[in-house]
Amino acid sequence: MEWFIYLLLINITSYLVMGYDKRQAIAKKRRVSEKNLFLLALIGGGVGMYIGMKEYRHKTKHRTFTAGIPIIITIQITGVVFIILGR
């Protein structure tokens, strides 16, 4: 149950950070680094990041994001499946 709560919170955070970064981009203000965006995806927020990309139409022209985020999600899902099947 703790993992579910963690994943829910990190994905909500990732989604909100994408929205924040989009607003900052429009206002030409200080942005969230791509490194930090990928870090959020790597620590479990990939789904929220992907939904944020689509919802806010943000980072959709960057191949590193349009390919990278789905790859991260796929690797994480595969890892979870192997962990569950390995028990």
Side-chain angles (χ1 to χ4, degrees):
M1 188 62 169
E2 295 87 17
W3 279 102
F4 176 77
I5 293 169
Y6 170 78
L7 288 174
L8 182 64
L9 292 175
I10 194 66
N11 279 287
I12 290 170
T13 300
S14 295
Y15 175 82
L16 294 174
V17 168
M18 283 300 278
Y20 170 79
D21 192 49
K22 176 68 175 193
R23 287 189 301 279
Q24 292 296 94
I26 291 169
K28 298 189 184 332
K29 292 186 177 179
R30 186 174 173 94
R31 308 271 305 278
V32 178
S33 71
E34 290 187 357
K35 178 179 138 183
N36 286 333
L37 293 174
F38 272 109
L39 180 61
L40 279 171
L42 286 170
I43 63 172
V47 173
M49 186 78 52
Y50 184 78
I51 293 169
M53 282 174 53
K54 297 298 182 178
E55 179 74 23
Y56 300 116
R57 289 181 275 165
H58 189 49
K59 300 287 186 188
T60 55
K61 293 181 181 178
H62 296 258
R63 183 105 174 127
T64 54
F65 280 87
T66 58
I69 298 301
I71 289 170
I72 290 170
I73 293 168
T74 302
I75 291 169
Q76 289 172 340
I77 290 171
T78 303
V80 168
V81 168
F82 277 116
I83 290 169
I84 290 171
L85 293 178
R87 290 185 178 188

